Every structure is written in structure tokens, then in C-alpha cells.
Amino acid sequence: MSVTIKNSLEIKAMRKSNRLLQDVFSGLKEMIRPGVSTWEINEEGERLIRNLGGVPNFLNYSGYPASICTSINEEVVHGIPRRDRILQEGDIISLDAGLIYNGYHSDAARTYGVGAISKEAQDLINVTRQSFFEGIKYAHAGHHLNEVCAAIGNYAEARGYGVIRDLCGHGIGREMHEDPQIPNFDQKMRGIRLQPGMTLAIEPMITAGSYEVEWLADGWTVVTKDRSLSAHYENTILITEHEPEILTLSDSESKELL
Ligand code: MF3
Ligand code: CO
């Protein structure tokens, strides 16, 4: 499949789908505290998605059994919600969620601290988020994709963090995963030239140790091989002539970053 360029109607639809996903995250963020199970987070996430008129896009994707991915501590991505997986003070939890509205997909991820967390954990969360913003400095028309990839990876590696190799970001639109693939590190080749109307899910996955990962026996959960902490930050963006539009970032979240 080739890279899709969205026309103005499709851009409106992408804005809408991704704005609804902001509301899902606002609701889920409020649930993060010690004693809550990842199952409850998934149930609430699915309820919010459907109440907003959306359809969960992760549910049954290649057989994934839930609507929200819940990945705790050394879990990088694709953790499966469980009734017996209870958040503990000091954990960090990555939530990855998406929905389909009117045929268009949204996708975003955030890592939250549960109660008070260590400085090591907070630094990891901050660097992961900042690496996304370093990357999107290059996400406008005329730049090549690898400028984004390299900026993300170089920022995190320069600070001593591990940058996951085995998973990457992606184009998004009528499909959750469209071309191009978007690695979070330097590819030594320019990649595609970015054009207005491309919508991309950019999603650094960063660890406090080595970048090596393995898969748990459930066939989904990706963990760091050295069991170091891992964080995830993802937004769906729209390429324009100038600054990219961050379709999954709410105004209040943008303000918190200032
Ligand atoms: N949100 C993931 C991504 O960013 C996809 C999750 S697929 C699932 O590409 F099956 F695990 F839900
Ligand atoms: Co994604």
C-alpha cells in the first residue's frame, strides 16, 4: 500500500476522529491510581469510545482481545488488560488507544505515573514525550521522513536511553496502519518526502536500559529484555506546509506542556 494524501473532507474526518480520542484519554487519565485494575481501565475506555459514537479499532485487531493496551513498567506496548493486574503506587502505565469514527482511525498513547513515582521513572516519561516533540520539528512539507526519525532517536540516545528498534509509528487514515512505517531512530536513508495531507502516528517507545525486547507467552505483551522501565508517547499528526497539527493533543494538554 502506498502513502495516502487526505483531501480536505478526509482531513476534517481525521480531525473529528482524533478529537474524540482526546476525550477518551481525558477520561482514562482520571482513573489512574493505586488499586485500579487494567481491566477496569479497558472497560471504561471502551465505554467512552462507544458513547462518543466511535468503534474501538484495537479490539480483535489481529486477534488482540481488548480496546485499550495497558502496559506497566517493563512492558513496552500491547499489554493485555486483566482483572487481576492491579496498579500499584510507583508504577508507570502506558495506555495506547484508538477508535474509528465515520471510517477514519485515530491512535495515541500516553504514559502516566501511578501515585508518587521515582525520579528515574518521571525522567523517562519526560524524555519520551520530548523526543516526540523533537521529531515533529521536522514534520513539515518538504522535509524527509528520516529527519523526524533521527531527531527522535538522537534526542533519547544522547541522554542515555534505549530506543526500541522492533516497533514503529505509521501512516493512518482509513486504515489504522498505513504506509509509511516510521521508526524512531536514524535510518541512514532519507525516506519519503513529507507532503501536506499526510496523517502520521508518531510514537517513540523509549527505555531506561537497553532497547532489546521480547514477547511474553500471551503472544502480545512486549517487554524489555533487561526488564528496565519503558515509556510510550504517541500522537496522530497532520502534515501541513508549516507546523504539523497534532490531532490527538487537547488544548489543555498543550497548555500543560508550556
Ligand atoms: N496502537 C498500536 C499502534 O500504535 C496498535 C495496537 S494494535 C493492538 O500501532 F492490536 F495491539 F491493539
Ligand atoms: Co500507532
Side-chain angles (χ1 to χ4, degrees):
M1 193 185 145
S2 55
V3 179
T4 60
I5 308 290
K6 279 77 182 175
N7 65 30
S8 63
L9 274 177
E10 294 177 299
I11 288 170
K12 277 195 183 129
M14 285 299 286
R15 284 197 185 109
K16 174 77 180 179
S17 173
N18 283 278
R19 188 169 316 124
L20 294 177
L21 185 59
Q22 296 173 9
D23 298 338
V24 174
F25 273 94
S26 317
L28 292 181
K29 184 181 181 197
E30 298 306 313
M31 290 185 75
I32 304 300
R33 65 191 123 74
V36 172
S37 73
T38 54
W39 178 266
E40 290 169 274
I41 295 169
N42 178 65
E43 292 276 283
E44 177 63 6
E46 181 162 348
R47 195 189 65 79
L48 287 165
I49 290 170
R50 295 197 190 278
N51 270 1
L52 292 162
V55 175
N57 48 4
F58 296 6
L59 186 62
N60 299 323
Y61 178 85
S62 299
Y64 185 76
S67 298
I68 314 289
C69 298
T70 55
S71 308
I72 298 176
N73 296 337
E74 74 281 2
E75 297 170 356
V76 180
V77 287
H78 304 165
I80 300 176
R82 289 198 335 235
R83 291 178 196 278
D84 63 353
R85 193 73 206 270
I86 311 291
L87 298 187
Q88 314 280 337
E89 176 102 15
D91 283 344
I92 60 173
I93 179 166
S94 302
L95 300 186
D96 191 346
L99 60 84
I100 312 169
Y101 186 85
N102 196 19
Y104 287 85
H105 286 257
S106 55
D107 190 3
R110 308 274 183 263
T111 301
Y112 302 107
V114 181
I117 61 173
S118 67
K119 180 174 185 303
E120 181 201 15
Q122 190 60 57
D123 289 346
L124 171 67
I125 291 173
N126 294 349
V127 165
T128 304
R129 183 179 55 200
Q130 189 57 35
S131 71
F132 166 88
F133 287 99
E134 295 298 320
I136 67 162
K137 287 178 183 169
Y138 300 93
H140 11 121
H143 284 268
H144 285 264
L145 185 63
N146 190 51
E147 296 176 65
V148 178
C149 305
I152 294 170
N154 292 342
Y155 179 83
E157 279 174 357
R159 285 157 183 77
Y161 291 88
V163 177
I164 301 292
R165 262 50 182 167
D166 294 337
L167 298 144
C168 53
H170 49 94
I172 179 169
R174 293 189 72 85
E175 310 277 350
M176 175 160 61
H177 293 140
E178 298 187 352
D179 282 342
Q181 289 198 18
I182 309 176
N184 294 300
F185 58 100
D186 190 1
Q187 302 300 294
K188 309 294 180 202
M189 55 182 191
R190 291 192 302 176
I192 61 163
R193 208 169 66 87
L194 299 176
Q195 291 175 54
M198 289 179 177
T199 46
L200 308 174
I202 298 188
E203 50 180 315
M205 289 153 271
I206 307 291
T207 81
S210 148
Y211 61 71
E212 283 189 275
V213 296
E214 57 192 30
W215 271 256
L216 296 185
D218 64 20
W220 279 104
T221 313
V222 182
V223 297
T224 52
K225 233 178 206 174
D226 61 8
R227 300 300 188 261
S228 59
L229 292 178
S230 185
H232 188 195
Y233 186 77
E234 172 178 27
N235 285 306
T236 295
I237 69 168
L238 168 70
I239 301 297
T240 75
E241 292 289 353
H242 308 287
E243 302 271 290
E245 236 177 272
I246 307 180
L247 304 182
T248 42
L249 200 61
S250 65
D251 291 344
S252 67
E253 267 184 306
S254 309
K255 280 192 197 106
E256 276 171 32
L257 299 173
L258 293 176

